[in-house]
Amino acid sequence: DYVTVQLQNGEIWELSRCSRNKRENTSSLGYEYTGSKKEFPCVDGYIYDQNTWKSTAVTQWNLVCDRKWLAMLIQPLFMFGVLLGSVTFGYFSDRLGRRVVLWATSSSMFLFGIAAAFAVDYYTFMAARFFLAMVASGYLVVGFVYVMEFIGMKSRTWASVHLHSFFAVGTLLVALTGYLVRTWWLYQMILSTVTVPFILCCWVLPETPFWLLSEGRYEEAQKIVDIMAKWNRASSCKLSELLSLDLQGPVSNSPTEVQKHNLSYLFYNWSITKRTLTVWLIWFTGSLGFYSFSLNSVNLGGNEYLNLFLLGVVEIPAYTFVCIAMDKVGRRTVLAYSLFCSALACGVVMVIPQKHYILGVVTAMVGKFAIGAAFGLIYLYTAELYPTIVRSLAVGSGSMVCRLASILAPFSVDLSSIWIFIPQLLGQHLQE
């Protein structure tokens, strides 16, 4: 825990990572000492091991020792920004349109990403990361809705599940960039430039016909449908005939009235209440397990970048497995077995000796495959469990519970300093 040294003037000091103690008895140089001593903080700065990382946010602002709790807040605050962003920009996309919000969030991702890289202090860095999380979450949510509103019903199931594959590809890029670039602000800048091509080309994207119809802009929706039919070499259809609309009448100038429902409809009776609570628990468990496996990759042993890369790679076949298996054996069976296998993997990881880290990484990949399958399926499964009038509300509430779990996931990983298997233990009990 400390090193005992004696200075030329006879003083004896106990030197540790975060403090130093001066012994009152200058004749006792042994390691064991029970006499009185005075404790002093490290006022001369810190020296960091740069073999793995050249520069990080922790070393930039000395987030160690008595300031360690500030480092522990970085990821939970980011996840809290994700929570607020999914709610805020989902609302804005319904009011302003999908295309406007996609362009605004992608531009903001670039700006806040660069701002975080050039932050002058810890608090500026945290603020930039918080707003970056908000706009990134909004971009993800609105992007999902945008794609779903352009995909036909025949391919919507596969498209909804495989959209998560692009999230996995992003994980691969993060791991690769982190391996090649060991300076945090340069790493931040490189990842921030990913959105630049989309910002430059976003103006080409059309608005979705569904949103235009919800706003009563039927003529614009008809033009988009005609363009889609032309590109697909198919005959177009008249929206006025499908929806029994009179485009010359007052209905074309006002949005369609939509019946509003609140959260209480998810607890309408005892049967619906049990369903809602079960779905929320699955959302919470899936998110906690998903992010715990990803964030805990640094504690598995070996190269942490390779671990994160492998845990990202295994997600892609997991989503393919979901698409095939759910039509063969059903949604509930696939979901139940995925959660069970993930819990089993958590238990196996805890009994593998750390010197056999390769076996631990393989087991973690199995767990990530299982929890990734469950996490990818729960979106679609929730939407199918509820009627149309409360479907968006059910998925939205599940996503809120999911974000709460993502806030707790970094704390569970930080608890690994007390016992390295706490993240797996928490995930196992929740999944069971």
Side-chain angles (χ1 to χ4, degrees):
D1 295 334
Y2 60 86
V3 176
T4 304
V5 298
Q6 186 174 29
L7 306 184
Q8 291 182 349
N9 59 7
E11 294 180 351
I12 298 178
W13 290 82
E14 297 174 359
L15 307 180
S16 63
R17 290 187 173 188
C18 295
S19 64
R20 49 189 173 183
N21 295 280
K22 180 182 178 182
R23 293 182 179 180
E24 296 294 334
N25 186 354
T26 58
S27 62
S28 176
L29 187 58
Y31 185 80
E32 299 294 336
Y33 178 76
T34 57
S36 59
K37 50 189 176 183
K38 292 183 179 180
E39 184 176 356
F40 298 87
C42 294
V43 295
D44 301 318
Y46 302 90
I47 298 176
Y48 298 100
D49 180 8
Q50 296 183 338
N51 290 329
T52 303
W53 300 286
K54 298 299 181 183
S55 174
T56 69
V58 173
T59 62
Q60 180 81 17
W61 294 295
N62 293 323
L63 306 180
V64 294
C65 300
D66 58 333
R67 289 168 56 86
K68 185 178 180 179
W69 66 275
L70 294 175
M72 296 174 63
L73 286 178
I74 292 178
Q75 199 64 21
L77 186 63
F78 185 88
M79 291 300 183
F80 183 64
V82 172
L83 168 64
L84 293 182
S86 62
V87 177
T88 303
F89 289 100
Y91 172 82
F92 284 148
S93 71
D94 289 337
R95 294 295 179 269
L96 305 176
R98 319 306 192 205
R99 185 175 63 171
V100 172
V101 175
L102 280 176
W103 184 85
T105 52
S106 59
S107 301
S108 299
M109 283 169 62
F110 174 75
L111 295 176
F112 286 122
I114 297 298
F118 287 98
V120 295
D121 55 33
Y122 168 79
Y123 299 102
T124 305
F125 171 76
M126 290 288 281
R129 287 257 305 173
F130 176 77
F131 290 114
L132 173 62
M134 286 190 63
V135 295
S137 174
Y139 179 83
L140 182 65
V141 170
V142 179
F144 182 88
V145 173
Y146 186 87
V147 172
M148 287 298 98
E149 290 183 348
F150 271 107
I151 297 294
M153 294 183 63
K154 183 179 179 181
S155 304
R156 190 168 295 166
T157 298
W158 276 76
S160 65
V161 174
H162 275 288
L163 272 177
H164 297 283
S165 298
F166 293 93
F167 190 90
V169 173
T171 302
L172 305 185
L173 293 177
V174 166
L176 181 61
T177 306
Y179 177 77
L180 298 175
V181 182
R182 303 300 178 92
T183 302
W184 76 270
W185 59 268
L186 183 58
Y187 161 87
Q188 180 72 42
M189 288 185 62
I190 292 174
L191 292 181
S192 299
T193 59
V194 174
T195 58
V196 172
F198 183 81
I199 296 173
L200 298 177
C201 301
C202 185
W203 61 273
V204 179
L205 297 177
E207 187 55 79
T208 67
F210 282 96
W211 184 81
L212 292 173
L213 289 174
S214 69
E215 293 294 306
R217 296 159 61 174
Y218 302 110
E219 294 182 0
E220 296 178 53
Q222 184 65 62
K223 292 180 181 179
I224 299 298
V225 170
D226 293 340
I227 294 174
M228 293 168 62
K230 181 180 179 181
W231 276 91
N232 287 278
R233 298 179 180 179
S235 58
S236 184
C237 61
K238 296 297 181 181
L239 295 179
S240 58
E241 297 176 1
L242 291 176
L243 303 176
S244 301
L245 298 174
D246 180 10
L247 298 184
Q248 305 302 321
V251 69
S252 61
N253 300 319
S254 60
T256 305
E257 292 291 332
V258 180
Q259 187 177 2
K260 303 295 183 181
H261 297 276
N262 54 43
L263 196 63
S264 63
Y265 280 81
L266 299 181
F267 302 90
Y268 183 76
N269 54 42
W270 177 238
S271 177
I272 299 298
T273 298
K274 288 193 298 182
R275 178 181 302 177
T276 299
L277 293 178
T278 303
V279 167
W280 282 4
L281 179 60
I282 296 173
W283 275 91
F284 186 90
T285 302
S287 178
L288 184 62
F290 185 88
Y291 286 106
S292 293
F293 271 114
S294 297
L295 297 176
N296 199 50
S297 60
V298 297
N299 297 322
L300 295 175
N303 188 295
E304 50 274 333
Y305 297 105
L306 179 60
N307 295 345
L308 181 60
F309 186 88
L310 293 175
L311 291 178
V313 167
V314 79
E315 289 181 45
I316 299 175
Y319 301 134
T320 303
F321 162 78
V322 166
C323 291
I324 297 175
M326 66 182 179
D327 291 331
K328 299 291 184 180
V329 298
R331 274 68 162 158
R332 185 174 65 175
T333 302
V334 174
L335 189 60
Y337 275 104
S338 297
L339 292 173
F340 175 78
C341 291
S342 178
L344 183 62
C346 288
V348 173
V349 166
M350 290 191 292
V351 300
I352 297 176
Q354 283 190 277
K355 61 181 180 180
H356 301 299
Y357 65 88
I358 296 179
L359 185 57
V361 171
V362 172
T363 306
M365 290 177 64
V366 173
K368 186 64 179 296
F369 179 96
I371 200 66
F375 196 56
L377 178 58
I378 190 59
Y379 280 87
L380 178 65
Y381 193 33
T382 302
E384 293 178 345
L385 282 176
Y386 291 88
T388 303
I389 57 174
V390 293
R391 183 169 294 137
S392 296
L393 185 63
V395 175
S397 65
S399 181
M400 287 279 290
V401 175
C402 163
R403 301 311 172 191
L404 291 176
S406 67
I407 295 173
L408 295 177
F411 286 116
S412 71
V413 175
D414 288 330
L415 290 175
S416 61
S417 59
I418 301 174
W419 187 38
I420 195 171
F421 295 123
I422 285 183
Q424 288 87 355
L425 185 65
L426 291 176
Q428 183 188 38
H429 281 294
L430 283 173
Q431 289 157 24
E432 289 176 347

